[in-house]
Amino acid sequence: MNLEYSDEQINLARLMRHHVLFDKLPLEVQQWAESLPWNQRRYVLSLCYILCASSPEKQAEFLDEYTADGLMAKMLKDIDTLQRVKQYLSCFRIKAPLNEAVLRGYIRQFYIHSAQDARCQPSQYLESALKLALSPKDKDNVFNYILGFELIKLMFQMSWLQQERLSRLQTNQDYFIKNYLKPIQHAHRVNGIIVPKDERVFFAKRDFYVQKPEIKPRTLIELVMATFTTSQVIACGFSLTRHSRAFEFDYDYIFNSNEPDSSFPWGSESVLG
């Protein structure tokens, strides 16, 4: 069937192909957009307008409903990766059954977390969400996010003494303290979960140092999302999947050790302060 286009339509198509915004789209999306009948392009514009005018939370809700089914189906089919993530979690004694309900919840949480990150940079939110939806590795990003999020949750629930023991096991102790433990301990302080009193006094320090954080499950998730960006959580999970020794862990030493501990680490950067 031969289609005839007016000069105006041809010029518009040419403008689209050379527009800066249009150039940022994946090639297959550009081809799809150019192939749309002219009356259907109004629907695309309406959708773009509604998305851009909505709050980040509403954008997250829409993207969850629009993309979660396909993404979750791909994750459930990737049995090897799913099993590997389950094995990692088991090694850390983390009980998180990665069934359909849990995966769907994590996909939705990922979008909400991205929206939360974007409050300082709202222009970045849709970009990050679209990257997830369009990326051929989108399911891997979510798997890494799940793994990283569960590890950070585990650290949030440790006493500062247990965190110190954990940091002693790491190859790059200063990096681990700076990028994980100090942000977590700051969140403990400002949210009144662990309140250091007379922290310059040794015995007073030991009192709060061994205190086990009491955090409700919903609050724990909110604290992790407020303390770490989606990129940081994904990077945490990715580092482990890339190299199994990226995160050293000894459950008995961290949680059951009876050996005496110092208030400060072993000549490295202090966990406290």
Side-chain angles (χ1 to χ4, degrees), residues 36-197:
L36 284 176
W38 297 99
N39 63 326
Q40 291 185 14
R41 296 187 182 185
R42 291 177 299 170
Y43 307 149
V44 176
L45 290 174
S46 297
L47 179 59
C48 292
Y49 173 79
I50 292 172
L51 271 176
C52 293
S54 300
S55 67
E57 289 79 4
K58 289 296 183 182
Q59 291 178 11
E61 182 180 347
F62 171 81
L63 287 167
D64 167 52
E65 294 175 354
Y66 200 69
T67 65
D69 288 341
L71 183 55
M72 185 179 61
K74 285 199 293 184
M75 294 176 71
L76 289 172
K77 287 180 181 178
D78 190 351
I79 297 174
D80 290 341
T81 303
L82 187 62
Q83 193 60 37
R84 190 162 64 249
V85 172
K86 288 180 178 179
Q87 288 174 351
Y88 285 134
L89 295 177
S90 177
C91 289
F92 304 129
R93 311 284 182 93
I94 296 173
K95 296 180 180 179
L98 297 186
N99 52 36
E100 183 173 332
V102 171
L103 291 178
R104 178 177 289 278
Y106 255 115
I107 292 170
R108 177 173 177 77
Q109 180 182 303
F110 183 96
Y111 287 131
I112 294 173
H113 196 169
S114 297
Q116 193 175 75
D117 292 347
R119 286 172 187 164
C120 296
Q121 295 178 301
S123 62
Q124 300 297 313
Y125 171 60
L126 268 180
E127 180 179 346
S128 63
L130 286 171
K131 281 182 179 178
L132 176 70
L134 297 173
S135 170
K137 295 184 177 180
D138 53 358
K139 62 180 175 56
D140 295 330
N141 286 332
V142 179
F143 276 131
N144 289 329
Y145 178 83
I146 293 172
L147 185 53
F149 203 92
E150 290 294 334
L151 287 176
I152 293 172
K153 279 171 57 180
L154 177 66
M155 289 187 275
F156 252 101
Q157 297 174 90
M158 293 180 182
S159 69
W160 290 12
L161 172 60
Q162 291 166 347
Q163 290 177 357
E164 179 177 312
R165 290 173 179 169
L166 175 63
S167 63
R168 290 180 179 181
L169 300 173
Q170 308 311 311
T171 303
N172 191 336
Q173 297 163 352
D174 288 337
Y175 176 88
F176 187 78
I177 292 169
K178 179 181 179 181
N179 288 279
Y180 293 105
L181 300 191
K182 284 199 170 183
I184 290 172
Q185 291 183 359
H186 176 73
H188 281 169
R189 289 173 186 258
V190 299
N191 289 280
I193 297 168
I194 294 179
V195 182
K197 295 181 179 179

